[in-house]
Amino acid sequence: MRVNVPVTFGVLHLAPLWPAFMAQHPKVKLDVTLSDRLVDLVDEGFDVAVRIARLQVSSLISRQLTTTRLILCASPEYLRRHGAPRHPAELAGHSVIAYSLLAAGDQWEFFSSQGSREPIQVKVSPRMRTNSGDTCTAAALQHMGLVLQPSFLVGPHLDSGALVEVMPGFRSTELGVYAVYPSRRQLTPKVRALIDFLVDAFRMRAWPA
């Protein structure tokens, strides 16, 4: 069974699950590809993919595993040197490390906690951009600037205090984590088993807000 998963999420949160799945299904062989590129499941022969997105209408069938939130954060040292922005409009005056595969690009979106449902959109001018969330986070840990990264990646650094959430009154986008598979293929027992396994695994674990 060929499975495509995002790189960092695959390493941090899926790699520990594969041994348990294979122990439960000893006849199933897994071929797991890690890539942040949006693959074509049918043309490239994947049975299942895990995607982190605001999923659009498509020909694929999906089941949601969990959610994750994009969090604006920086190191305490960076904030000590440069101050903390209090409103999204102030991001123009800060060093930003951008994830180049973010669907919104350099147009970052925030929602006020005061109840307004209208998004506040700001265009950032990154000092550095990369297609690796790990690289973004490493740069933030070295006090280079602000990053907008998912809670599944920066959550442990926020818990330890190595990073601090910035502008907590303005929350950014919440994304779903989905298992997707081609709708025009018959759902095989092995694919159904994997999806049910992942749904159960994420239901039972605590998840960073």
Side-chain angles (χ1 to χ4, degrees):
M1 177 165 48
R2 297 194 67 215
V3 183
N4 175 262
V5 303
V7 176
T8 301
F9 190 83
V11 171
L12 293 178
H13 300 289
L14 293 174
L17 299 178
W18 300 134
F21 174 75
M22 297 188 74
Q24 291 180 22
H25 304 277
K27 293 184 179 181
V28 175
K29 295 181 179 180
L30 282 180
D31 181 349
V32 180
T33 298
L34 280 73
S35 172
D36 289 332
R37 179 177 61 87
L38 190 63
V39 303
D40 186 307
L41 272 67
V42 175
D43 288 350
E44 299 182 48
F46 287 101
D47 298 289
V48 183
V50 172
R51 290 186 177 166
I52 303 170
R54 288 189 285 192
L55 206 60
Q56 305 296 318
V57 175
S58 73
S59 61
L60 301 175
I61 298 175
S62 66
R63 285 187 67 184
Q64 188 164 344
L65 305 177
T66 186
T67 59
T68 189
R69 179 170 66 95
L70 295 180
I71 299 178
L72 183 70
C73 53
S75 71
E77 178 63 19
Y78 173 85
L79 298 175
R80 185 189 67 78
R81 295 175 187 171
H82 304 281
R86 293 177 292 179
H87 187 277
E90 297 177 21
L91 292 179
H94 282 269
S95 175
V96 167
I97 290 74
Y99 178 58
S100 58
L101 299 181
L102 186 69
D106 292 340
Q107 196 79 17
W108 288 5
E109 188 174 79
F110 299 89
F111 297 85
S112 172
S113 62
Q114 300 303 313
S116 173
R117 300 188 63 84
E118 288 297 316
I120 301 169
Q121 295 182 333
V122 293
K123 186 171 179 61
V124 297
S125 180
R127 178 185 179 191
M128 173 181 170
R129 103 179 47 246
T130 172
N131 67 348
S132 163
D134 295 289
T135 299
C136 288
T137 303
L141 290 167
Q142 293 299 316
H143 326 304
M144 282 184 60
L146 300 164
V147 294
L148 187 65
Q149 286 294 306
S151 54
F152 72 77
L153 173 55
V154 298
H157 301 298
L158 294 171
D159 290 343
S160 72
L163 295 177
V164 177
E165 182 172 4
V166 178
M167 299 190 315
F170 295 91
R171 292 170 69 94
S172 191
T173 309
E174 185 174 281
L175 303 173
V177 181
Y178 300 90
V180 300
Y181 54 97
S183 60
R184 69 171 181 252
R185 292 182 181 177
Q186 184 177 0
L187 184 59
T188 62
K190 63 184 179 182
V191 171
R192 184 182 299 278
L194 176 59
I195 293 171
D196 289 344
F197 172 84
L198 292 175
V199 169
D200 289 342
F202 283 96
R203 182 186 297 126
M204 292 185 296
R205 67 167 51 183
W207 196 252

